[in-house]
Amino acid sequence: MTRTSPTHRGAIGAHASPTHRRTFRTSAFPTHRRALGAACLAAALAVLAASPAPADTPSAHRDRGSLVLVGGGLKDDNAQVYGEIVRRAGGPGRARIGILTAASIPAAQDPDADDPERCSNSECNGAYYADLFRRYGADDAEWIPVDLDHLANADSDEVVARINSMSGFFFGGGDQYRYVTSLLHGERHTDSKVLAAIRAKLAAGAVVAGSSAGAQIASGPDMLTGGDSYPALRDGSRPGYFEDPSVLGYLPGGGFGFLRSGLLDTHTGTNGREGRSLRLAADTGHHTVYALDENTALIVDAPGSRREHLTVLGTQGVGLLRLSGAHAGVGPAGWHLHGARYDYLTTGDTYTPRTGEVTTPGKEPLAPSPTVPVPANTDVFYSPHNSRGTPYSLRGTARALAASTQRTATATTYESGPRFTVTLSEPRRFRALSADGTTAETLLGLRLDIDAG
């Protein structure tokens, strides 16, 4: 079973260009209306029972709750991630989870609202997730009726009372700007009563989870609203929300501000978004980017405190892009970035923002092979205009470099005018680690430079 969570029309979290990648980035929603098969669900739960949960941080961390942020594409058989959310909400038979899907279009804008097999609006998506969480053991899961059709509910005392009975919350994908317009008060950017109640529950120990736009909305200042990597590198970033999905846009006021230790990006490897993340970080003065890949969670304990601690859980990984020692500028040929650090963390790896420490339990250093060359890469950020492009392109070159005895590898953008070259190099501190002794999985300490030419 490999189905993906509901498609959300007009999604910013999965901004699609009008080319081949539109079908790659989304999935047909009607198939997700079907319930999990009993045998398939039993197998998924067996995996969950057999898999150890990520090690808890000290109990003192729990008084600030936790975040489970997924890079999109969360499959309905991902027992690790769904099970972790349920566990952090109190465990099977105790967890009570509120589902927020205001990032989806409201039912009034969905021509298929009356068709349970085809609908893709906030209410039917909320019912989908609620059913899924109950099947993964939640005692109760219900849709919180706040969306563009029910804006007044964001300040309803009755809805707040329902929020206060919950132990966990899940924000679905779609367009994160709809969360801004439905749960924050306009230009004041202040909390509605419902958001204030969720924030208080998080501080008291609840779990707040989200996928795609539902993860992106956890951002602090300078939340991404869209953009493709090549035009981002060429043209830079602009504050605001833009109908053109290729424009690198951001909201200076941010999202809900649950996570402030770095910028967030989602669908990173599948959409080649590392370039846009690096440009926005450099433009806005951020030193860290959490570049989340699909079907994979970044778990954040004690968010916003000195004890903040992050753990990766899932099938792909999280790119950790650090610019504290980097410098960027515009030369005669175009924009450049020198001295950034690229780490790629995989399941079980942890990161502590205050100290910069990374741990990699269960993984050992990988010895490179002198017989493995690094393949040429002429589409490092997986251009939406290249029908033969490959997802996870930057990661692919980085892992190939780690597996070889080369110390440097270059890759270029598909577009030219100017064409950008990415150079990855291995300083002395670089390490490649593997759980199976053969595959370069976690990468620590690569230097990343971008030059126009």
Side-chain angles (χ1 to χ4, degrees), residues 43-65:
L45 292 176
V47 170
L48 175 61
S51 301
D56 279 330
T57 51
S59 59
H61 293 197
R62 303 294 290 166
D63 63 358
R64 293 187 62 90

Side-chain angles (χ1 to χ4, degrees), residues 42 61 76 102 108 115 117 120-121 131 150 164 184 219 224 233 268 280 308 310 352 354 390 396 451:
H61 293 197
D76 61 9
D115 184 344
E117 292 296 318
S120 184
N121 62 69
D131 178 69
H150 305 89
N164 287 335
L184 287 166
S219 299
L224 274 155
L233 295 176
T268 302
L280 181 60
E308 185 173 290
L310 288 68
T352 303
R354 184 174 63 84
T390 303
D451 289 283

Side-chain angles (χ1 to χ4, degrees), residues 91-161:
R94 298 180 62 189
R96 295 177 56 82
I97 297 176
I99 311 296
L100 295 104
T101 53
S104 302
I105 61 170
Q109 297 178 21
D110 184 2
D112 298 313
D114 295 329
D115 184 344
E117 292 296 318
R118 296 179 61 84
C119 63
S120 184
N121 62 69
S122 54
E123 185 170 0
C124 66
N125 289 347
Y128 161 81
Y129 282 120
D131 178 69
L132 193 55
F133 275 106
R134 286 192 293 268
R135 290 172 179 271
Y136 275 111
D139 176 62
D140 186 32
E142 62 177 270
W143 179 55
I144 304 300
V146 177
D147 62 8
L148 297 184
D149 279 349
H150 305 89
L151 290 176
N153 283 350
D155 287 301
S156 162
D157 291 336
E158 180 181 349
V159 176
V160 167

Side-chain angles (χ1 to χ4, degrees), residues 77-334:
D77 64 348
N78 192 327
Q80 274 189 313
V81 172
Y82 281 111
E84 185 67 13
I85 297 168
V86 169
R87 185 179 75 85
R88 286 171 174 263
R94 298 180 62 189
R96 295 177 56 82
I97 297 176
I99 311 296
L100 295 104
T101 53
S104 302
I105 61 170
Q109 297 178 21
D110 184 2
D112 298 313
D114 295 329
D115 184 344
E117 292 296 318
R118 296 179 61 84
C119 63
S120 184
N121 62 69
S122 54
E123 185 170 0
C124 66
N125 289 347
Y128 161 81
Y129 282 120
D131 178 69
L132 193 55
F133 275 106
R134 286 192 293 268
R135 290 172 179 271
Y136 275 111
D139 176 62
D140 186 32
E142 62 177 270
W143 179 55
I144 304 300
V146 177
D147 62 8
L148 297 184
D149 279 349
H150 305 89
L151 290 176
N153 283 350
D155 287 301
S156 162
D157 291 336
E158 180 181 349
V159 176
V160 167
R162 292 166 66 178
I163 294 291
N164 287 335
S165 72
M166 302 293 175
S167 55
F169 305 92
F170 181 85
F171 287 82
D175 179 336
Q176 58 259 39
Y177 196 67
R178 294 191 187 112
Y179 281 131
V180 172
T181 56
S182 59
L183 286 163
L184 287 166
H185 289 146
E187 293 183 0
R188 293 176 293 160
H189 217 71
T190 55
D191 289 358
S192 63
K193 288 184 178 180
V194 164
L195 181 56
I198 293 172
R199 196 181 302 281
K201 294 289 289 188
L202 173 64
V207 59
V208 173
S211 180
S212 189
Q216 191 73 262
I217 195 61
S219 299
D222 307 319
M223 179 184 72
L224 274 155
T225 60
D228 288 331
S229 281
Y230 179 77
L233 295 176
R234 183 190 63 203
D235 303 327
S237 59
R238 296 165 58 189
Y241 167 79
F242 303 95
E243 290 301 319
D244 181 351
S246 70
V247 174
L248 177 56
Y250 67 99
L251 292 184
F256 297 158
F258 297 146
L259 181 64
R260 294 176 175 268
S261 58
L263 291 176
L264 279 168
D265 207 350
T266 58
H267 301 277
T268 302
T270 50
N271 292 353
R273 289 178 167 172
E274 297 93 345
R276 78 172 193 178
S277 298
L278 288 163
R279 182 66 198 256
L280 181 60
D283 285 356
T284 55
H286 288 267
H287 289 167
T288 304
V289 178
Y290 304 119
L292 280 58
D293 279 336
E294 291 188 353
N295 205 32
T296 301
L298 181 66
I299 299 169
V300 187
D301 283 293
S305 78
R306 288 176 57 82
R307 303 185 307 272
E308 185 173 290
H309 183 80
L310 288 68
T311 306
V312 177
L313 179 68
T315 57
Q316 298 294 339
V318 172
L320 181 60
L321 309 174
R322 290 188 265 185
L323 287 77
S324 58
H327 54 92
V330 179

